[in-house]
Amino acid sequence: MGLSLSTPAAVARAQDMPPADTADAATEAPAATAMATAQAASRSASQSTSLAASLAASLAAAVDAAIARHPAAAEIVGRRRADRVQRGDAGRWVRQAPTLTGRYQTDRVADAIGEREWETTVNVPITPPGERQARRALSRQRSDATAALADSVALMVAGQVREAAWVVRRAAVDLALAERAEETARLLERDLAIRVREGERPEADLPLVQAETLAQESAVVDAEAELTHARHRFTELTGLTALPAGLRETAVAAETVDLADHPDARRALAERDRARQAHRVAGKTWTTKPSVGVGMRGERPERGAETIGSLGVFVTVPLDFGLFNRTAEVGALDSLAQAERALAQIRRDLRLALDAAEHRLDAARRAATLADRRRATAEEALRLARISFEVGESDLVALLRAREEALRAIADAERRAVDLGRAIADYNQAAGVMP
C-alpha cells in the first residue's frame, strides 16, 4: 500500500491542477466528499496564509540576528577592546616602571665630625625605537586579525542559518506532502464508501483505504513534529519566529570564486601575519632597556660647614640589542610555525570543500531534472490508470498502485527541488559568499 490514497475521480483531477487546489476537485464528488474537501482546503489556505505572513525577514537579516546572538560575538567585542588597549600601549616610549633610588651616608657611628652625604635618583627605562615600531606594527596586525575573525564568524553563522532555514523548508514540504496524501486518502475513503453502499464496488475494497487513511494521519503527525522542531531550532539560532523570505539563492559563477579571499583563508592569513610580526617583536625586544636618570646629591664635609648640592643626569645603555630574548623568540617561532600549518590546512580544506560542494550541486541539478521527468511520466500513467479503472478494464489495486507511484514521484520532485536549493546555498557557503 502506498503513502496516500484518493478517490478515482479526485486522483485524476488532483493531477491536472495545483496540489493545494482541492476545493474545485471536490465539486464533482458526492456531497460528503465535497464537505471534507472544503474543510481540508480551508485548513490548507489558513496554513498558507500563516506561512506567507511569517516570511517577513530576509536571509541576510536572519544572519545578522543570529550573529548578534552567537557566543562568538562577545569574544569579538572583547578582542576589539584588547586591540584598542594594545594600540595605546604599543606607542609608549616607557614600557617599564621608572625607579626611585635614595642613599644617605653619615659618620655618626665612626669619626662623628658631622660629615653627611645623601643622594636621590629617578631612573626611566626607554623603549628602543626599533622595538616600538615593531610593536606598533603588531598592534595593526592584531586589529586586522580581529576583523578577519569577525568576517569568518559571520560566514560560519551564515552557514548555520542557511542550514536551519533549509531544514525548515524541507520539513514544511514534507508536511505539505503528508497533508496532501491524507486529504486524498480521505477523499478516496469517502467516495469509495458511497460506491460500496450503492453497490458499485465490493465491500472488501473499503478496509484497504481505511488503513491507508490512518497511516497518512500518522504521517502528518510525524511531519508536524519535525516541522515544529526545525522551527524551534531556527528560532533559537536567530531569535526570529519568521522564516527568511527569498531563501533560494543563485549559485556564484565558478570563475569568480577566489578562495584566497575566503573569510576563513583571510582569517588564517591574518593570524599568520600576526605571528610573524610577533616574532619580529621578540627579536627586537631588549630584556634590559636603555634608561635615562636624573639625580640630586647633597654633601656636608663636617658639622657647621655649608652643604654642597649637585644635579646629575645619567644615561645607561645595556649591551643587549635584542640578543638576550631568545626564550621569547623561540616561543614566537613555535606560534609562527603553528600559524603557517593552520593556514596551509585551511587553504587545503577550502579547496576540498568547494570541490565537494560543486559535485553535490551538479548531482542535485541532475537529480532534480530526472525527478521532474519521472513526475511527468507517473502523472500520465495515473491518468491512463484512472481511465482504465472507470471503464472497468482494471481493478482498484492497479489504480492504487499507479496513484502510489504518482504521489511518490511528485513528492520526490518537490524534495529534489528543495535539495537543489540547499545544494546551491552550500556551494555559495563553500565559496565564502554571504547571503
Side-chain angles (χ1 to χ4, degrees):
M1 189 59 60
L3 294 176
S4 56
L5 298 174
S6 176
T7 62
V11 167
R13 288 189 290 271
Q15 309 310 316
D16 298 332
M17 60 183 61
D21 192 1
T22 57
D24 292 341
T27 58
E28 301 176 9
T33 301
M35 181 178 298
T37 306
Q39 293 173 350
S42 176
R43 183 173 71 252
S44 178
S46 176
Q47 292 173 347
S48 298
T49 301
S50 175
L51 181 61
S54 68
L55 295 176
S58 67
L59 184 58
V63 170
D64 291 340
I67 290 174
R69 292 168 56 89
H70 199 275
E75 177 190 358
I76 293 173
V77 170
R79 287 191 57 158
R80 285 173 174 163
R81 186 182 299 115
D83 292 346
R84 290 193 296 270
V85 173
Q86 188 176 48
R87 280 197 301 272
D89 181 69
R92 294 170 55 186
W93 285 104
V94 179
R95 298 186 54 81
Q96 296 178 352
T99 59
L100 174 64
T101 59
R103 183 176 67 86
Y104 178 77
Q105 185 172 341
T106 180
D107 67 345
R108 178 174 299 179
V109 298
D111 297 337
I113 63 175
E115 181 182 359
R116 187 178 66 178
E117 184 177 326
W118 58 269
E119 184 177 3
T120 302
T121 304
V122 177
N123 200 45
V124 181
I126 303 298
T127 302
E131 180 183 343
R132 180 172 176 269
Q133 293 172 359
R135 289 186 179 279
R136 295 180 69 179
L138 178 60
S139 70
R140 291 192 294 269
Q141 292 290 350
R142 180 185 172 94
S143 297
D144 292 344
T146 301
L149 174 64
D151 292 341
S152 180
V153 168
L155 181 65
M156 177 192 68
V157 175
Q160 295 174 352
V161 173
R162 277 168 163 151
E163 179 183 1
W166 278 106
V167 169
V168 172
R169 177 63 59 84
R170 176 61 180 266
V173 168
D174 289 343
L175 177 59
L177 292 171
E179 290 176 339
R180 186 188 311 166
E182 179 195 9
E183 290 168 4
T184 54
R186 197 176 300 280
L187 287 174
L188 177 58
E189 179 184 346
R190 297 194 181 193
D191 192 23
L192 188 60
I194 294 173
R195 289 172 180 263
V196 169
R197 286 198 301 268
E198 294 177 354
E200 297 180 9
R201 301 299 304 172
E203 189 172 353
D205 288 348
L206 192 56
L208 296 176
V209 296
Q210 288 175 337
E212 186 64 19
T213 300
L214 292 175
Q216 294 309 320
E217 290 177 355
S218 178
V220 169
V221 172
D222 292 340
E224 287 176 342
E226 288 296 326
L227 180 57
T228 299
H229 175 71
R231 283 180 174 271
H232 177 73
R233 183 176 183 278
F234 179 80
T235 299
E236 284 295 316
L237 182 62
T238 64
L240 304 175
T241 57
L243 298 177
L247 184 57
R248 188 173 296 276
E249 303 179 43
T250 301
V252 63
E255 59 272 13
T256 65
V257 176
D258 182 11
L259 290 181
D261 195 44
H262 192 286
D264 289 349
R266 286 191 283 107
R267 174 181 58 82
L269 181 62
E271 290 292 345
R272 193 281 307 272
D273 292 343
R274 184 168 73 93
R276 181 175 291 174
Q277 185 60 36
H279 172 249
R280 293 193 185 102
V281 170
K284 292 182 177 296
T285 297
W286 292 28
T287 54
T288 303
K289 300 289 190 288
S291 62
V292 176
V294 177
M296 292 291 296
R297 184 172 181 273
E299 180 181 3
R300 188 183 67 180
E302 60 183 11
R303 189 177 295 107
E306 184 178 352
T307 300
I308 302 172
S310 61
L311 173 68
V313 178
F314 312 94
V315 176
T316 303
V317 181
L319 301 180
D320 190 319
F321 306 107
L323 300 178
F324 297 89
N325 198 29
R326 295 308 186 190
T327 300
E329 192 171 356
V330 169
L333 283 173
D334 287 339
S335 298
L336 177 58
Q338 293 174 5
E340 292 279 9
R341 179 185 64 105
L343 175 60
Q345 183 67 45
I346 285 178
R347 285 173 171 171
R348 177 177 178 272
D349 292 345
L350 290 177
R351 288 194 300 270
L352 294 175
L354 184 63
D355 289 342
E358 187 175 8
H359 293 155
R360 288 195 300 269
L361 177 57
D362 181 63
R365 281 173 173 159
R366 289 187 283 112
T369 300
L370 292 175
D372 286 338
R373 292 170 57 186
R374 177 192 173 196
R375 174 178 185 167
T377 301
E379 288 177 344
E380 177 62 17
L382 179 59
R383 186 184 70 83
L384 297 176
R386 175 186 61 81
I387 295 175
S388 178
F389 175 78
E390 290 183 348
V391 300
E393 294 181 357
S394 62
D395 58 9
L396 177 63
V397 174
L399 176 61
L400 293 179
R401 188 178 297 114
R403 176 184 167 279
E404 176 184 354
E405 174 59 26
L407 289 178
R408 276 204 303 261
I410 293 171
D412 183 60
E414 295 191 15
R415 290 185 176 114
R416 294 289 185 181
V418 174
D419 292 343
L420 175 58
R422 184 170 181 175
I424 292 174
D426 290 345
Y427 178 77
N428 287 345
Q429 179 73 19
V433 177
M434 290 289 291

